[in-house]
Amino acid sequence: MSTETFEFQVEARQLLQLMIHSVYSNKDVFLRELVSNASDALDKLRLAKLRDDTLDADVSDLHIELETDRDARTLTVRDNGVGMSYDEVGELIGTIANSGTAQFLKELKEAQDAAGAEGLIGQFGVGFYSGFMVADEVTLVTRKAGEKQGTRWSSRGEGTYTLERVDDAPQGTSVVLHLKPADPDNQLHDYTSVWKLKEIVKRYSDFITWPIRLVGEKDSKGDDGEAAEPETLNSMKALWARPRDEVSEDEYHELYKHIGHDWREPLETIQLHAEGTFEYQALLFVPSHAPHDLFRQNMRHGLQLYVKRVFIMDDCEALLPSYLRFVKGVVDAQDLSLNVSREILQQDRHIRMMQRRLTKKVLSSVKSMMTTDAEKYATFWREFGAVLKEGLVTDPDNRDALLTVASFASTHEDGEAVTLKRYVERMPQGQDDIYYITGESRETIDKSPHMEAFRERGIEVLLLTDPVDEVWADAVGEFEGKRLRSVAKGEIDLDAREDDRSEDEQKQQAEAYAGLLGWMRERLDDDVKEVRLSTRLTRSPACLVADADDLTPALENMYRAMGQEVPHSRRILELNPDHALVKGLNEAYTEREDRSELADTAELLYTLAVVAEGGRPKDPARFVRLTADRLERTL
């Protein structure tokens, strides 16, 4: 048969040179591309045979073969799929990405790093040409199913390629790579190595539907002189594509341990099949323990992304929001391009649809866990509740669902957490708000002076001790029409004490303390913006509260830790008019003209309020000195 030589178009020649000169750092992806092309060819043949049972094609053993020849330094990737005609080879292989080559080159040059560049292979239909990253010459032999004559295509990537018709081509396509010398320093491995081929197939193509067989090395024989039996390299066990009743829990758990790098079994397994205009399958796992790096900035998270069972990337962050970063699993999409980059995924409409659906599925599974298995839910919330609450701030679309599955420590529960729904159900008549308090630990905030009136009256208060609690409570604002209110903010009027005094008597008390309150306000001007009598204190002499819209000290510290400058907020000092210390201070203020010593007492009273809520004195040494001086006088 005559051989014809053709020239590549100018842009295609530029692209080939970029491929040949190692623009991609991870050259292993060439095999993924060729195996993926072979898998597509097998899929197409199976479909063609179903549509036309008269098609002269053998579909009894559809498979992909890998064959090496160490002496000749060749790697052959072979399939017995649909194949191509002479014209199709010229159209599909002879020209690189019939349209879009210029755009590919533009984006390739703009890619800032190797990872960004690698994400472009396949996007413009150039997967076949990734073979030139590892080969000096590529030869393709193919015969279309149903035809008698085949085609050979060959090129060294130097600007031309040859085409010829051949009579002895088997059904399908065979790609022979004449490999470059191994160069480990440039990530160019020895692709005649059996262990390397097994590693690549296991990583990228383990779940391909068709068997990928490694045939014995060309011309090699076994110990008995017979050709060695082909070895199937892939498991073909895409568990996410099989009905749940056909897969054992052990199989699910083994997959989780493999992709989650965890020796323990998962807490929950979640399966999803989405059909319609955009099809995909997902198999997700909720771990039974939080990873040690859950709150580290550099934590790698996200799901494994496959396209038609071909592995695309680890840690695909675009598939789930950050507050579900602990979820492990696999998503297999049918209609995405191979090798889409992370940047493209962030903008892809289908990916955003998948993220919304997957997020709702995970949250609905948590809700189901809450209603059907309290012990499992308690484990989940203990391990991941703090990170899930981040979504209350970052994901307003799913805020209601998150509030439904959230639970919190409470003054009415010693060991168990309570949901907001349960809190609302047992609110006494006349209570309109959901009360909460934030702090570093339950022990600290449970004994806070702010809690005294609530505890005395038996009003339930949620005890929030995670750093994110400082943020989400303000962002959420209400639940089922009930306002969320901090017991350490704003004015609280619970009528907590039995008060038989008349309005005139209460007015007289306010007038009696007016002078002290004004004087203390002036003395503590750098630290407080108001001094007033308290209705929330029953035993402690004083406490500090913030205005309803002010930042708490913990939140201020959090912003500063993130590098954001926020002005210091002065708070309100509340005094308990029934406490002996406050009464004595007021009497001394009224009777004495020289109030220099009282200034130290006022400062001590303010600092005691700071310490009572777990804060640190502004000047610890001075606080110790003043306290020691007062104690000395009592002896």
Side-chain angles (χ1 to χ4, degrees):
M1 297 292 177
S2 62
T3 301
E4 296 183 83
T5 301
F6 302 89
E7 286 191 3
F8 288 112
Q9 44 188 283
V10 175
E11 290 172 346
R13 190 180 301 120
Q14 293 174 353
L15 179 55
L16 274 172
Q17 290 305 307
L18 285 172
M19 290 280 190
I20 292 168
H21 289 93
S22 306
V23 69
Y24 301 104
S25 62
N26 183 11
K27 298 175 177 61
D28 292 355
V29 296
F30 85 91
L31 186 56
R32 178 189 71 181
E33 294 299 318
L34 296 181
V35 168
S36 179
N37 289 346
S39 177
D40 286 344
L42 296 171
D43 287 336
K44 289 176 182 176
L45 179 59
R46 179 179 60 176
L47 182 60
K49 186 68 174 178
L50 288 172
R51 289 176 174 172
D52 181 9
D53 58 6
T54 64
L55 180 66
D56 183 16
D58 181 9
V59 294
S60 60
D61 181 27
L62 299 179
H63 62 276
I64 302 166
E65 285 184 352
L66 306 181
E67 184 178 15
T68 62
D69 186 333
R70 286 181 177 273
D71 295 335
R73 286 203 55 73
T74 62
L75 169 65
T76 302
V77 181
R78 183 183 300 114
D79 69 75
N80 56 350
V82 70
M84 290 177 283
S85 67
Y86 183 91
D87 291 338
E88 286 173 337
V89 172
E91 180 183 353
L92 300 175
I93 303 297
T95 58
I96 299 177
N98 298 328
S99 61
T101 306
Q103 181 65 19
F104 178 89
L105 286 169
K106 178 175 179 292
E107 297 205 13
L108 190 60
K109 291 175 182 177
E110 290 176 354
Q112 297 298 311
D113 53 31
E118 286 166 16
L120 296 173
I121 284 189
Q123 184 187 340
F124 293 90
V126 296
F128 169 77
Y129 280 84
S130 62
F132 283 100
M133 293 191 297
V134 301
D136 291 321
E137 182 179 355
V138 178
T139 301
L140 176 144
V141 178
T142 183
R143 176 171 67 82
K144 188 169 185 176
E147 296 188 356
K148 301 298 183 184
Q149 197 170 57
T151 304
R152 178 183 288 113
W153 178 98
S154 184
S155 176
R156 297 185 60 84
E158 295 174 346
T160 62
Y161 61 91
T162 62
L163 273 177
E164 65 175 309
R165 301 179 191 274
V166 293
D167 291 328
D168 56 350
Q171 170 188 305
T173 301
S174 176
V175 179
V176 182
L177 303 170
H178 301 268
L179 298 168
K180 299 176 182 178
D183 185 0
D185 292 339
N186 289 317
Q187 303 299 311
L188 185 59
H189 304 288
D190 180 5
Y191 296 107
T192 65
S193 167
V194 170
W195 73 263
K196 184 61 182 176
L197 296 180
K198 288 182 178 180
E199 175 195 329
I200 298 173
V201 170
K202 187 69 176 177
R203 175 169 175 77
Y204 291 108
S205 308
D206 192 47
F207 303 117
I208 290 288
T209 309
W210 310 105
I212 303 170
R213 297 170 183 164
L214 179 64
V215 300
E217 186 175 351
K218 194 170 184 180
D219 297 328
S220 68
K221 304 288 184 180
D223 294 337
D224 56 1
E226 298 293 327
E229 285 294 318
E231 178 184 358
T232 300
L233 302 184
N234 58 324
S235 70
M236 295 174 284
K237 290 184 178 180
L239 302 184
W240 56 86
R242 294 162 57 186
R244 187 151 189 168
D245 57 4
E246 294 181 6
V247 183
S248 69
E249 286 300 308
D250 287 342
E251 287 180 293
Y252 281 135
H253 294 172
E254 283 303 313
L255 178 61
Y256 164 73
K257 291 173 183 178
H258 171 66
I259 64 178
H261 307 291
D262 190 357
W263 55 271
R264 293 162 293 212
E265 295 181 351
L267 185 68
E268 186 75 0
T269 301
I270 304 169
Q271 194 165 15
L272 173 65
H273 288 261
E275 299 179 346
T277 55
F278 186 71
E279 296 185 8
Y280 59 93
Q281 295 89 37
L283 184 59
L284 311 181
F285 301 98
V286 177
S288 56
H289 294 269
H292 68 279
D293 57 351
L294 184 60
F295 293 100
R296 292 184 183 176
Q297 278 191 328
N298 59 352
M299 177 198 180
R300 296 182 65 187
H301 63 273
L303 306 178
Q304 290 188 352
L305 177 63
Y306 285 75
V307 174
K308 297 179 181 177
R309 302 193 185 184
V310 178
F311 177 76
I312 301 301
M313 68 177 70
D314 262 325
D315 311 316
C316 184
E317 299 173 5
L319 291 170
L320 281 176
S322 175
Y323 65 87
L324 294 178
R325 57 184 175 270
F326 54 88
V327 176
K328 303 296 182 182
V330 171
V331 173
D332 187 359
Q334 302 302 308
D335 302 310
L336 283 177
S337 301
L338 278 178
N339 299 15
V340 287
S341 67
R342 295 184 186 273
E343 293 75 18
I344 292 171
L345 285 175
Q346 292 172 356
Q347 304 169 9
D348 189 276
R349 180 174 62 89
H350 290 129
I351 291 293
R352 291 196 297 270
M353 290 169 53
M354 290 167 65
Q355 187 197 76
R356 288 194 293 269
R357 180 78 182 274
L358 292 171
T359 301
K360 291 183 183 300
K361 183 66 175 178
V362 172
L363 295 181
S364 68
S365 297
V366 175
K367 183 178 180 180
S368 176
M369 194 189 306
M370 173 188 280
T371 56
T372 61
D373 194 331
E375 185 177 346
K376 185 184 288 187
Y377 167 76
T379 300
F380 168 82
W381 192 257
R382 182 181 65 249
E383 298 292 326
F384 303 109
V387 67
L388 204 72
K389 285 186 285 189
E390 293 176 8
L392 294 171
V393 182
T394 60
D395 188 3
D397 291 340
N398 288 301
R399 183 172 289 168
D400 289 342
L402 286 164
L403 287 172
T404 300
V405 301
S407 57
F408 314 94
S410 160
T411 53
H412 280 26
E413 303 286 354
D414 288 334
E416 297 182 4
V418 62
T419 64
L420 292 178
K421 185 175 182 63
R422 178 64 180 135
Y423 180 102
V424 170
E425 288 174 348
R426 62 191 187 195
M427 284 170 54
Q429 188 173 3
Q431 181 180 336
D432 297 322
D433 300 324
I434 299 172
Y435 292 106
Y436 70 90
I437 184 171
T438 59
E440 291 185 359
S441 68
R442 174 167 184 154
E443 291 73 22
T444 300
I445 60 179
D446 204 15
K447 299 172 182 176
S448 167
H450 301 102
M451 299 285 290
E452 292 175 0
F454 293 87
R455 186 177 294 106
E456 186 168 304
R457 185 163 176 174
I459 296 176
E460 185 173 11
V461 178
L462 302 179
L463 310 174
L464 311 181
T465 57
D466 292 319
V468 70
D469 293 327
E470 296 282 353
V471 183
W472 75 258
D474 282 336
V476 170
E478 66 172 40
F479 174 75
E480 293 187 353
K482 304 294 184 181
R483 183 173 53 157
L484 288 160
R485 287 196 65 187
S486 170
V487 302
K489 280 188 172 186
E491 293 197 56
I492 300 290
D493 185 9
L494 299 175
D495 191 22
R497 294 162 293 151
E498 292 295 330
D499 197 344
D500 296 326
R501 296 174 301 173
S502 65
E503 290 186 11
D504 287 341
E505 289 174 322
Q506 295 178 39
K507 185 177 180 181
Q508 288 175 6
Q509 184 187 61
E511 291 174 352
Y513 279 90
L516 174 67
L517 300 180
W519 174 79
M520 288 185 66
R521 163 70 178 80
E522 292 178 1
R523 300 299 306 178
L524 302 171
D525 183 62
D526 291 341
D527 299 305
V528 303
K529 60 182 176 183
E530 184 182 349
V531 182
R532 68 190 181 201
L533 297 182
S534 178
T535 59
R536 76 184 85 214
L537 295 173
T538 61
R539 293 190 300 274
S540 299
C543 70
L544 287 166
V545 300
D547 269 339
D549 297 326
D550 285 349
L551 297 178
T552 64
L555 196 53
E556 286 183 17
N557 293 334
M558 192 184 304
Y559 282 128
R560 291 191 183 101
M562 294 187 295
Q564 299 184 33
E565 284 299 322
V566 292
H568 172 67
S569 298
R570 294 181 303 162
R571 291 189 290 161
I572 300 165
L573 178 64
E574 288 193 352
L575 304 182
N576 179 1
D578 294 330
H579 195 280
L581 176 58
V582 177
K583 284 182 177 180
L585 181 60
N586 189 47
E587 291 172 1
Y589 170 81
T590 304
E591 295 171 358
R592 300 180 192 176
E593 292 186 7
D594 182 7
R595 301 181 178 119
S596 56
E597 288 193 7
L598 293 184
D600 290 344
T601 305
E603 182 182 341
L604 271 176
L605 192 58
Y606 164 76
T607 310
L608 286 173
V610 172
V611 173
E613 65 178 10
R616 186 174 183 270
K618 182 168 61 175
D619 187 346
R622 176 173 172 77
F623 173 63
V624 170
R625 188 168 61 251
L626 290 175
T627 304
D629 179 58
R630 293 302 186 274
L631 289 173
E632 182 183 350
R633 296 182 190 181
T634 65
L635 298 176

